[in-house]
Amino acid sequence: MPSVASVEEIRTHFPALARRHNGHPVAYFDGPGGTQVPRAVTDAVSDYLLNHNANTHWEFPSSRETDAAIAAARAALADWVGAEPEEIVFGANMTTLTFHLGRALGRTFGPGDVILITELDHHANADTWRALARERGLEVRTVRLRTEDGRLDEEDLARKLTHGVRLFAFGAASNALGTVSDVARLSAQAHAVGALAFVDAVHYASHQMCDVRAWDCDFLACSAYKFYGPHVGVLWGRRALLAGLEPPKLAPAADSVPEKLETGTLSHEGIVGAGAAVDFLAALSRAAAPRRERLRQVSRELHARGAELVGKLWHGLAALRGVTLYGPPPGSERTATLVFTVAGQESAAVARHLAGRGVFVSNGDFYATTVARVYGREQDGFVRAGCAAYTTSDEVERLLAAVRELTA
Ligand SMILES: Cc1ncc(COP(=O)(O)O)c(C=O)c1O
């Protein structure tokens, strides 16, 4: 028996896959914008709301159960990124958590300090830091993106990552091009000049396993709705760094880590669902091993399946006249997400045509606005297709057939 559930078995967990549109079964290639959700996650969310719903830290059972459920979710997310539960901060989404972290970190930054960002990143990992720079009088430098292969320009990085940089904010993977960056190396380069390393793992986490200890980064953010969970953001920070932060907070709110970074009443049901998403993924492994080990095994297998699917998609699209592909080709370090354009067709028109065939893809710049500008696609953006755990080879063929109709 294979050690990780087959795609057919995985699909049985997702009621959304039964949807039909225009007489076609729906093929969801919109995972990079948010994946579908398995029944185990919605069951956990509704069980919490129906049977345990309360505010935290009181003496009655449903409040105690709420505390326990949040603690269990912290432990699950800690296994997800390779950290300790006390280092996991929950929030509305990655963007909100990053603004909040920026406000807290910014209290220790001042004029003359530099924040380094990149052209490859989603604007949640650029404008958040630009806003902080405006408030604190900081300098922002931006590492260039190489259009030849969709990767960061190493020479430009070496020029810009100098003493005086307090924070290097970079992505583990690009939500537009699918480029995977070498997080361990970039973190080490940041530390070599005394800078902190902040990693946006929102796109990466849905495709590969995060490992904050092996990467030796300082902060990392991801979002559960990209890995089969509800709309909840997750921030990890080294415990000592979190403890030293002074985030804006209400006087009566907890001063302890990680709670002091969590503002107001959180989405308890969302947090429970995020934990359930991690458990769902771990349960795809049949190994009798600790959760993190099972997650590692599942992630490795899903990554290999995704690489095969994206390779087929890339080569199939490349064979069509008038289709242009962007970013790193298959076989290099990348996720199972790609972007393309069709000559003479607006990206929105391509996405509409595919939707008519039951193939759901996204279009635009996906807030990777700088990536679109660098490739001269600021007006129309790209068409984006992402393969998820439930994507099949047949669905890839259906996508290719629908694009072929436009190019014939
Ligand atoms: C790479 C990347 N970073 C950040 C974000 C923003 O995440 P959130 O919607 O949780 O704020 C996204 C969302 O698409 C993303 O893909």
Side-chain angles (χ1 to χ4, degrees):
M1 201 193 322
S3 51
V4 174
S6 66
V7 65
E8 292 77 20
E9 184 186 334
I10 290 173
R11 288 175 69 84
T12 64
H13 295 280
F14 290 87
L17 299 178
R19 182 175 178 139
R20 296 184 73 84
H21 180 69
N22 245 5
H24 303 280
V26 170
Y28 295 93
F29 284 96
D30 62 335
T35 44
Q36 299 307 312
V37 176
R39 205 175 280 104
V41 169
T42 58
D43 283 351
V45 170
S46 65
D47 175 60
Y48 172 75
L49 286 172
L50 295 175
N51 300 311
H52 311 284
N53 190 24
N55 217 322
T56 52
H57 305 324
W58 278 317
E59 300 302 323
F60 48 88
S62 51
S63 181
R64 295 259 165 110
E65 286 154 20
T66 294
D67 291 340
I70 294 174
R74 266 194 229 288
L77 271 298
D79 279 352
W80 180 241
V81 299
E84 298 302 319
E86 303 74 37
E87 298 174 311
I88 299 293
V89 179
F90 290 114
N93 48 53
M94 177 276 184
T95 305
T96 307
L97 284 167
T98 306
F99 268 123
H100 192 54
L101 175 68
R103 249 173 251 133
L105 273 176
R107 293 183 170 183
T108 63
F109 296 169
D113 287 340
V114 181
I115 295 184
L116 186 61
I117 59 176
T118 89
E119 288 185 339
L120 186 54
D121 273 79
H122 187 286
H123 275 227
N125 200 23
D127 294 346
T128 41
W129 304 112
R130 286 193 183 105
L132 175 65
R134 276 195 301 277
E135 280 164 26
R136 308 289 307 176
L138 315 177
E139 181 192 340
V140 175
R141 294 182 195 155
T142 309
V143 182
R144 286 187 40 224
L145 157 65
R146 272 196 323 230
T147 48
E148 306 90 273
D149 58 2
R151 298 191 174 279
L152 292 178
D153 182 330
E154 295 292 333
E155 286 170 16
D156 195 46
L157 171 63
R159 266 193 305 275
K160 290 173 177 163
L161 184 54
T162 56
H163 288 280
V165 175
R166 299 291 306 276
L167 180 88
F168 179 23
F170 58 90
S174 159
N175 65 313
L177 304 177
T179 315
V180 169
S181 295
D182 185 341
V183 177
R185 190 164 52 74
L186 295 176
S187 298
Q189 284 176 270
H191 291 162
V193 299
L196 293 168
F198 174 91
V199 181
D200 173 358
V202 172
H203 184 62
Y204 182 93
S206 54
H207 294 272
Q208 275 167 272
M209 183 100 165
C210 296
D211 197 338
V212 294
R213 299 276 182 250
W215 287 345
D216 196 27
C217 51
D218 299 297
F219 299 101
L220 173 144
C222 59
S223 279
Y225 73 95
K226 309 285 191 183
F227 51 87
Y228 316 104
H231 295 90
V232 168
V234 181
L235 171 71
W236 165 83
R238 272 181 208 278
R239 183 202 265 264
L241 287 173
L242 292 180
L245 290 175
E246 286 185 33
K249 67 175 276 294
L250 309 185
D255 277 319
S256 50
V257 166
E259 289 86 353
K260 73 173 180 181
L261 277 126
E262 295 177 331
T263 46
T265 306
L266 298 173
S267 168
H268 300 163
E269 60 276 23
I271 291 169
V272 165
V278 172
D279 279 327
F280 165 76
L281 286 164
L284 298 179
S285 160
R286 303 188 207 284
R291 181 165 50 195
R292 173 116 178 121
E293 199 36 56
R294 283 180 285 133
L295 288 168
R296 194 186 298 285
Q297 192 185 24
V298 169
S299 159
R300 218 180 277 133
E301 173 63 24
L302 293 184
H303 181 59
R305 290 181 197 173
E308 200 165 309
L309 292 169
V310 83
K312 176 172 173 157
L313 191 51
W314 179 287
H315 294 301
L317 288 169
L320 299 177
R321 200 147 39 93
V323 171
T324 305
L325 288 145
Y326 303 82
S332 50
E333 283 297 305
R334 63 164 7 274
T335 66
T337 294
L338 60 72
V339 286
F340 65 97
T341 51
V342 180
Q345 303 273 349
E346 286 189 353
S347 296
V350 176
R352 255 192 321 273
H353 173 80
L354 267 60
R357 303 288 185 271
V359 176
F360 290 6
V361 295
S362 33
N363 67 283
D365 67 22
F366 327 107
Y367 284 20
T369 313
T370 310
V371 174
R373 179 179 53 71
V374 168
Y375 281 95
R377 302 292 313 169
E378 57 269 67
Q379 293 302 322
D380 186 38
F382 309 96
V383 182
R384 179 176 69 179
C387 303
Y390 41 72
T391 305
T392 64
S393 189
D394 281 356
E395 289 178 329
V396 168
E397 270 162 32
R398 286 179 51 209
L399 190 158
L400 291 172
V403 177
R404 195 174 300 118
E405 289 171 346
L406 290 172
T407 60

